[in-house]
Amino acid sequence: NAGVTQTPKFQVLKTGQSMTLQCAQDMNHEYMSWYRQDPGMGLRLIHYSVGAGITDQGEVPNGYNVSRSTTEDFPLRLLSAAPSQTSVYFCASSRLGPDTQYFGPGTRLTVL
Amino acid sequence: SQQGEEDPQALSIQEGENATMNCSYKTSINNLQWYRQNSGRGLVHLILIRSNEREKHSGRLRVTLDTSKKSSSLLITASRAADTASYFCATDASGGSNYKLTFGKGTLLTVNP
């Protein structure tokens, strides 16, 4: 099993550009989530999904969109990037609900 | 807002010593989890303790949970240089259809050889 994979590993964007961060898992997990990690702030939940076709907002959802068309994939879209979105983004999955989470390696995003 | 808060923010010890980190939280919970993050990497799950449990062990790790004080502690015994990492607690609040996991800001542990 590859576990949770994220692409790209690094990305630099200009203000106003859009992009999609990819996340995939091969463990047949129902629950998937996106976090951002900023220095001194720990991890903050952006969006999560309890199964295909079901998504909900976390603590800091503004500026981000998600969809869950399959069990395996949970992409995160930045509609119009802003410098405040410079961060490290982590995707995680679990079998069911906020139980033991399996994290991807992260995407380091810089918005200029 | 952060549900869990770790204490201390940073801890430096010598190899072979024990390391204790604490986590306090604000609302009633279903579970409390501890994760480790090596620099620049994703988080790795260490241990989960349920609200009806008081203590749990896994190898050199010992976790306690005091729901009356809304606090938990993580003890790493006989620490090694490889234990150097940030440690986070995470909670999911009880009640309703809550599916959100909330992380604290972490404790940075440095184990000196």
Side-chain angles (χ1 to χ4, degrees), chain A residues 29-33 48-50 92-95 97 101, chain B residues 99-100:
Chain A
H29 285 170
E30 291 295 326
Y31 185 88
M32 296 186 74
S33 55
Y48 66 97
S49 168
V50 298
S93 74
S94 67
R95 187 179 59 85
Q101 301 293 307
Chain B
Y99 297 98
K100 298 178 184 179

Side-chain angles (χ1 to χ4, degrees), chain B residues 13-34:
Chain B
I13 60 174
Q14 296 299 122
E15 211 166 23
E17 294 180 339
N18 295 342
T20 299
M21 289 158 267
N22 303 296
C23 170
S24 60
Y25 56 91
K26 299 173 184 174
T27 64
S28 296
I29 60 172
N30 292 319
N31 308 306
L32 186 142
Q33 304 178 50
W34 285 92

Side-chain angles (χ1 to χ4, degrees), chain A residues 6 11 17 33 44 64 66 76 89 91 96 101-103:
Chain A
Q6 291 183 237
Q11 183 70 49
Q17 287 185 317
S33 55
R44 291 183 291 171
Y64 307 96
V66 292
L76 179 72
Y89 292 84
C91 177
L96 190 67
Q101 301 293 307
Y102 295 82
F103 279 83

